[in-house]
């Protein structure tokens, strides 16, 4: 069977982090988004955080207006973020947990424990035609809860796998493989993201049920050394090679 296409969503948050370090306009995350598309990104991902530490409201407005690829808005389940999503109508909204004190999104959403609080956000985004995804740990109980809420997509948090070494890494990969299979059984579209780099992307890209990867920090960091175009093209090539190898279609 031919491999399902694997999309790459490039997260441009940390272009805004660098811009904000000086408070000016350079480097512009929208310019980075356009460069990412030119380098092979299928979509652009941006996280508008409550404290606006990187992406700004104006960045979201410009990304929605100026980039002709699907925009995936990562957001906390708050009324403020919901209003922004409904105003700009991105292609997708990925609900993520958010704590002001964390440096990055440190774990998945507790969909099981927070189902009543999340339900109206899933429903209102969905009713507006926005594809809702829930960022969860690779845990079958969370996937079942996502299904019960009516979310069409889950994004598996693969950060623990990316950080682990040796046997622990193998065990973490096993959790992701099992969760991706469980997502398919439940009829959920399966994405993955967080912490992916050149050394970790292949194993995740090879999982046939995973159809989208969202990658940011590593790509922007690597761009310092070889440029954004080169870092994205290399990531894309590693993804595509692993994907083809995973289905026995790798060319020699
Ligand atoms: N997916 C989600 C839901 C995220 O919250 C993040 C980080 O903002 C990413 C993907 C990208 O993670 P990274 O920047 O580590 O590649």
């Amino acid at each position: 069977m031919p491999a399902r296409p694997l999309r790459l969503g490039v997260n441009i948050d940390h272009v805004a982090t660098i811009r904000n370090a000086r408070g000016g306009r350079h480097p512009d995350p929208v310019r980075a988004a356009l460069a990412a598309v030119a380098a092979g990104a299928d979509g652009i991902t941006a996280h508008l955080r409550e404290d606006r530490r990187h992406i700004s409201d104006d960045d979201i407005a410009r990304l929605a207006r100026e980039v002709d690829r699907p925009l995936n808005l990562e957001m906390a389940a708050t009324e403020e973020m919901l209003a922004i999503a409904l105003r700009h109508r991105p292609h997708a909204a990925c609900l993520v947990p958010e704590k002001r004190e964390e440096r990055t999104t440190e774990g998945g959403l507790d969909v099981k424990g927070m189902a009543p609080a999340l339900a109206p956000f899933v429903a209102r985004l969905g009713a507006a035609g926005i594809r809702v995804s829930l960022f969860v740990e690779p845990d079958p109980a969370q996937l079942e809860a996502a299904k019960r809420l009516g979310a069409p997509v889950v994004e598996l948090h693969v950060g623990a796998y990316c950080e682990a070494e040796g046997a622990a890494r193998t065990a973490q990969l096993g959790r992701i493989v099992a969760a991706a299979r469980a997502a398919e059984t439940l009829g959920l579209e399966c994405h993955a993201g967080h912490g992916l780099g050149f050394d970790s992307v292949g194993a995740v890209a090879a999982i046939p049920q995973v159809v989208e990867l969202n990658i940011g920090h590593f790509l922007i960091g690597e761009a310092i050394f070889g440029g954004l175009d080169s870092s994205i093209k290399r990531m894309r090539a590693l993804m595509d090679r692993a994907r083809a190898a995973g289905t026995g279609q790798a060319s020699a």
Side-chain angles (χ1 to χ4, degrees):
M1 224 177 62
R4 274 176 264 186
L6 178 61
R7 299 187 296 268
L8 171 60
V10 172
N11 179 316
I12 40 79
D13 290 352
H14 296 301
V15 178
T17 303
I18 299 170
R19 174 196 60 193
N20 295 359
R22 284 285 173 97
R25 292 191 184 176
H26 183 80
D28 177 12
V30 177
R31 181 176 164 203
L34 295 169
V37 168
D42 299 293
I44 297 300
T45 293
H47 185 175
L48 184 65
R49 292 189 74 105
E50 190 193 4
D51 62 8
R52 309 301 199 268
R53 68 177 68 159
H54 38 55
I55 292 293
S56 69
D57 297 63
D58 184 55
D59 292 331
I60 294 296
R62 289 180 55 226
L63 287 167
R65 219 173 36 232
E66 296 175 33
V67 181
D68 71 346
R69 284 293 192 285
L71 174 63
N72 173 31
L73 174 65
E74 292 175 359
M75 54 178 266
T78 64
E79 285 298 330
E80 183 199 17
M81 290 302 151
L82 178 65
I84 292 167
L86 295 178
R87 190 173 325 131
H88 297 296
R89 307 228 169 195
H91 166 77
C94 181
L95 295 179
V96 300
E98 198 176 299
K99 292 196 225 84
R100 268 177 189 263
E101 64 275 17
E102 70 189 357
R103 256 187 294 172
T104 180
T105 312
E106 281 163 11
L109 265 182
D110 178 13
V111 183
K112 199 165 163 237
M114 293 171 50
L118 292 171
F121 291 92
V122 174
R124 287 162 73 190
L125 290 164
I130 299 168
R131 202 155 165 79
V132 182
S133 131
L134 301 179
F135 190 42
V136 294
E137 292 296 319
D139 169 359
Q142 296 296 345
L143 302 181
E144 284 155 19
K147 178 69 184 178
R148 282 196 296 276
L149 272 190
V153 183
V154 286
E155 178 165 329
L156 302 178
H157 191 309
V158 297
Y161 161 70
C162 295
E163 279 170 24
E165 289 174 10
R169 194 169 221 221
T170 311
Q172 289 294 346
L173 184 60
R175 289 179 72 215
I176 299 167
V177 169
R181 287 190 187 137
E184 180 170 58
T185 305
L186 289 164
L188 294 165
E189 183 172 312
C190 187
H191 301 175
H194 204 93
L196 288 165
F198 292 153
D199 73 330
S200 51
V201 75
V204 180
I207 301 170
Q209 295 85 5
V210 174
V211 295
E212 180 174 308
L213 300 179
N214 286 300
I215 311 180
H217 183 267
F218 181 88
L219 286 172
I220 305 305
E222 192 61 21
I224 292 169
F225 304 103
L228 191 56
D229 185 73
S230 148
S231 78
I232 292 174
K233 283 187 174 147
R234 176 140 181 239
M235 188 66 82
R236 175 97 249 177
L238 289 167
M239 281 168 57
D240 292 347
R241 196 179 313 151
R243 188 71 161 184
T247 54
Q249 295 182 353
S251 51

